[in-house]
Amino acid sequence: MPREDASFPYVRQRRILALGTTLAVGMLIGFVTLTPVNMPQGMPVSDKFWHMVAFAALTFPAALIYRRACRWVAPLALLYGVAIELIQPHVGRSGELADVYADAFGALLGLALGMVINEYLIRPAARRRLARDG
């Protein structure tokens, strides 16, 4: 049986993967939200839905792969959402407080989903592997 304080394998690789994915998603969000666009009218889904999806995707990798990063990924995601809404009026888009709320909800949703999957699927599998490889 492995020691409780034994670190899980591939910590450095997991950290790079989690933070690299988060950075890539953040760059994509920045591009999409700060590029002037003519949105078609009558979209079947509100843009608030897409804000939630985008910010859930932003925080999900950190929560799933490298939970320690959540301490600073979560507040930075919220600040990022606020910054985007403050910049949008300067690039021909409108900034809305409701978008910030959608961003915050999405970020929390991504964190929650990632942590639950990590806790109930990934960590037990890693523990089994550590016990087997011993």
Side-chain angles (χ1 to χ4, degrees), residues 23-45:
L23 182 62
V25 171
M27 290 171 50
L28 180 62
I29 290 171
F31 176 76
V32 170
T33 59
L34 296 175
T35 303
V37 187
N38 291 328
M39 293 295 291
Q41 297 299 321
M43 292 286 288
V45 181

Side-chain angles (χ1 to χ4, degrees), residues 8-30:
F8 286 147
Y10 309 110
V11 173
R12 182 168 160 55
Q13 292 87 345
R14 288 185 303 117
R15 183 181 315 144
I16 290 169
L17 178 62
L19 301 180
T21 304
T22 300
L23 182 62
V25 171
M27 290 171 50
L28 180 62
I29 290 171

Side-chain angles (χ1 to χ4, degrees), residues 66-91:
Y66 188 62
R67 292 189 321 177
R68 284 186 185 174
C70 293
R71 291 181 213 156
W72 52 270
V73 166
L76 286 176
L78 181 58
L79 288 174
Y80 190 48
V82 170
I84 286 171
E85 295 306 316
L86 291 174
I87 294 170
Q88 279 184 332
H90 301 287
V91 295

